[in-house]
Amino acid sequence: MEHFFGEEWEIVPAGGATGEAYFAQFEQQRLFLKRNSSPFLAVLSAEGIVPKLVWTKRMENGDVVTAQQWLNGRELKAADMYDERVAKLLNKIHSSKPLLAMLMRIGKPPLQPESLLNMVNTQLDPSLRHHDYVQKGLQFLHTSIEQIDCEEVTVCHCDVNHNNWLLTEDNQLYLIDWDGAMIADPAIDLGMLLYWYIPEDQWEEWVQRYGLQLTDQLRLRMKWYVIAQTLHFIQWHKSKERYSEMDKWIEFLTAVLD
């Protein structure tokens, strides 16, 4: 990356799971760089969902590097997730026709409940299947899958953790890190956000801010996707031998099912 920019640029890793992101600075120029980022970053930028895309360049080895504005700001805290701006931005994302058109154009198939359940079934280690609440979770997914029907799929971020929300110094809110985006039931995003951050007695008000009514059907869809995603995360952390994180997700699964 240094060779690509020149020695005058200061380039440091930005962290993250993939190791593909960097901060770059030269005098007053400051950029956030990413190697092989999501191909619909330009649309996200145009929609005002991520910081502005400055340029895209192809390197000699074939990798594509994108540069975005490096903005001063902070990640949201867990308590910030009740903020009306979070609900409004998530609704804007789920309602965006340009985002949906771009993901469809690059061949992203809609995620169906059956496919997600099959993935979870295929991934789970036999040792995990013996856990009481993992069994309960799988049973819930199987018995209620016929009721998980969504008329309209949208672009979903699929990782609405508070660490992925950026609030800048000039009070602009962005949702970043789009590598896991899918076309799916918006209940995938809504469920995880509400179960993780919002007390249940405030769900109805939060969902109204988002622009929906909290129906029994929406509740069921959110619970279904939360359980499916949680089983996936339990298995993922086990495969990485991150047992303390795995136990936290099992504890979360227990709370959801109880």
Side-chain angles (χ1 to χ4, degrees):
M1 192 67 76
E2 287 85 351
H3 175 73
F4 181 63
F5 273 86
E7 294 182 359
E8 67 271 17
W9 283 83
E10 179 186 358
I11 300 175
V12 295
T18 62
E20 299 283 351
Y22 306 86
F23 295 121
Q25 183 167 7
F26 171 56
E27 296 179 349
Q28 300 305 310
Q29 299 181 65
R30 302 197 304 169
L31 300 171
F32 174 75
L33 310 175
K34 194 155 188 185
R35 194 196 309 265
N36 299 326
S37 63
S38 173
F40 73 128
L41 186 62
V43 183
L44 290 165
S45 172
E47 293 278 282
I49 294 164
V50 300
K52 183 180 178 182
L53 179 64
V54 180
W55 50 252
T56 301
K57 296 181 180 179
R58 184 173 295 276
M59 301 176 71
E60 291 181 1
N61 65 357
D63 285 350
V64 175
V65 176
T66 54
Q68 292 172 263
Q69 286 180 320
W70 173 4
L71 300 173
N72 289 326
R74 65 172 179 85
E75 299 173 349
L76 291 190
K77 299 180 175 66
D80 296 324
M81 299 299 281
Y82 189 76
D83 193 307
E84 183 174 3
R85 289 173 294 184
V86 172
K88 295 296 186 185
L89 182 54
L90 195 58
N91 176 271
K92 177 180 179 179
I93 291 163
H94 290 165
S95 304
S96 173
K97 300 304 181 187
L99 282 184
L100 182 59
M102 176 55 80
L103 271 194
M104 293 176 68
R105 194 176 305 136
I106 63 177
K108 203 85 163 175
L111 177 66
Q112 301 296 337
E114 294 80 7
S115 300
L116 183 54
L117 179 53
N118 182 61
M119 182 182 72
V120 171
N121 268 325
T122 303
Q123 288 178 339
L124 275 176
D125 286 355
S127 59
L128 285 176
R129 291 178 179 275
H130 294 304
H131 192 285
D132 286 347
Y133 278 93
V134 171
Q135 289 182 4
K136 287 182 179 181
L138 285 171
Q139 183 179 11
F140 178 86
L141 296 182
H142 281 284
T143 56
S144 56
I145 191 169
E146 297 299 328
Q147 304 169 58
I148 307 304
D149 183 36
C150 179
E151 294 181 359
E152 187 175 0
V153 292
T154 66
V155 169
C156 295
H157 183 275
C158 297
D159 186 10
V160 291
N161 186 288
H162 66 276
N163 296 317
N164 284 329
W165 298 79
L166 172 66
L167 184 63
T168 66
E169 288 182 343
D170 60 356
N171 225 26
Q172 291 295 310
L173 183 65
Y174 298 102
L175 181 57
I176 59 175
D177 195 357
W178 281 84
D179 292 342
M182 292 185 176
I183 300 173
D185 184 340
I188 283 185
D189 286 342
L190 292 169
M192 270 300 184
L193 195 152
L194 290 177
Y195 272 92
W196 265 113
Y197 298 112
I198 311 299
E200 190 168 356
D201 62 358
Q202 298 175 25
W203 282 11
E204 188 168 6
E205 183 179 358
W206 196 99
V207 171
Q208 286 177 349
R209 291 178 174 182
Y210 167 86
L212 285 179
Q213 294 298 313
L214 184 60
T215 63
D216 289 342
Q217 220 275 329
L218 178 56
R219 283 182 179 272
L220 177 62
R221 284 160 44 211
M222 291 194 302
K223 184 175 182 178
W224 196 94
Y225 282 109
V226 164
I227 291 172
Q229 288 175 287
T230 301
L231 290 172
H232 167 73
F233 290 137
I234 290 170
Q235 176 59 51
W236 189 85
H237 285 294
K238 183 178 188 299
S239 68
K240 300 294 183 182
E241 298 183 354
R242 299 175 177 176
Y243 298 116
S244 62
E245 290 298 315
M246 181 190 78
D247 289 341
K248 289 178 183 177
W249 280 101
I250 291 176
E251 184 178 339
F252 176 67
L253 177 66
T254 302
V256 171
L257 287 167
D258 283 345

